[in-house]
Amino acid sequence: MTSPDLNLLFALDVLLAEGSVARAARRLRLSPSAMSRTLARLREATGDPLLVRAGRGLVATPRAEELRRQVGRVVQDAEVLLRPTELLDPRSLDRIFTLRTNESFVEEFGPRLVARTEADAPGVRLRFAPKSDKDAMSLREAAIDLEIGVAGETGPEVRIQALFRDRFVGAVRAGHPLAEGKVTPERYAAGRHISVSRRGREKGPIDEALGMIGLQRRVVCMVSGFSAALAMARASDLIASVPERHTAGARAGMHSFALPVATPDVTISMLWHPRLEADPAQCWLRDCVREVCAGR
């Protein structure tokens, strides 16, 4: 049995990404006829037509769609494997790293992360981008270097590493009725609440937990960030329910309490694209983030 031509994997990755023989040929710097011959070899090797005519274009077969999810990772891993390791002097770096995360992470960890990176690499600047979405395209195209937050659905190509776990706590102004005595589920549910959701959702895991014991809280307003929720709770009798570690500094001077119902902890992770896996500067940046989140 002859060994397969592994160069076909790179051609397959480009063909499936472009969906066009002509565009794939330009990207690989081949002639259209050479690219057509490569597609014929791929069809023979896989036993599937892979790309079939539909109108004036080509569409992927079900087998090609299945391969698309695998071949990209194989090619990226091969590129990392064959890339030489470089020794990095952080003090020689002169660049901007973009981290996509929410305001609460920036407020709590941003100052320490800036101090940490500045100590090693004075020429590095950090750009904190808002979490308007969680698309993997920005990671793939290197529009952002790191995503920090709850991972969610990311696709198989994105690397994920957990940083820490966080739990939700309640926060009220000093002198609030809930600042005295035991906070029972009934007392908690009876208050006026702020819901935090970037998508404007009124209910979430806290409401589900209350519903399981026959209680319902009254949500009187919705905001998109924890900082806004804490600012409103600090100046009123409203109750904010926020992640503990993310908001430690922002809750200074307020009364915080454990939620009287069980809610799932959230895992905060950092995400990056495999194409940046072995880049020495990116490895250094990820080390800085890990150390700051670990309190080192």
Side-chain angles (χ1 to χ4, degrees), residues 42-217:
L42 282 165
R43 286 168 169 165
E44 181 180 358
T46 61
D48 188 271
L50 299 175
L51 294 170
V52 296
R53 182 67 59 185
R56 302 180 67 178
L58 297 174
V59 295
T61 65
R63 172 62 172 155
E65 291 291 351
E66 180 184 344
L67 289 172
R68 189 200 306 271
R69 293 190 289 269
Q70 303 174 43
V71 70
R73 171 171 288 187
V74 171
V75 168
Q76 289 156 3
D77 287 346
E79 289 174 345
V80 169
L81 183 65
L82 296 176
R83 188 179 300 139
T85 301
E86 300 176 14
L87 295 177
L88 174 72
D89 177 10
R91 301 191 69 83
S92 68
L93 288 175
D94 181 11
R95 59 190 291 185
I96 298 174
F97 291 103
T98 299
L99 292 78
R100 185 166 63 189
T101 187
N102 60 41
E103 289 183 358
S104 297
F105 183 92
V106 177
E107 292 172 359
E108 186 63 30
F109 297 97
R112 282 177 277 164
L113 184 57
V114 169
R116 171 68 177 80
T117 56
E118 194 174 29
D120 281 358
V124 163
R125 286 86 70 206
L126 299 181
R127 174 178 175 263
F128 294 101
K131 287 177 70 71
S132 56
D133 51 46
K134 292 186 177 182
D135 68 293
M137 186 64 71
S138 297
L139 288 168
R140 184 183 304 121
E141 296 179 347
I144 63 172
D145 297 285
L146 276 181
E147 168 116 24
I148 300 174
V150 178
E153 294 293 330
T154 60
E157 66 189 277
V158 175
R159 300 289 196 257
I160 303 173
Q161 184 174 66
L163 293 171
F164 61 88
R165 294 180 68 82
D166 211 346
R167 66 166 188 162
F168 277 76
V169 297
V172 294
R173 64 169 178 82
H176 189 283
L178 289 183
E180 297 183 3
K182 181 180 179 181
V183 179
T184 64
E186 291 76 15
R187 290 185 69 201
Y188 173 76
R192 295 159 56 241
H193 292 260
I194 308 167
S195 174
V196 180
S197 172
R198 289 200 313 273
R199 300 180 180 178
R201 293 174 178 169
E202 183 179 352
K203 299 185 182 297
I206 294 175
D207 303 279
E208 295 173 5
L210 288 169
M212 292 180 66
I213 55 175
L215 295 174
Q216 181 177 347
R217 64 175 179 165

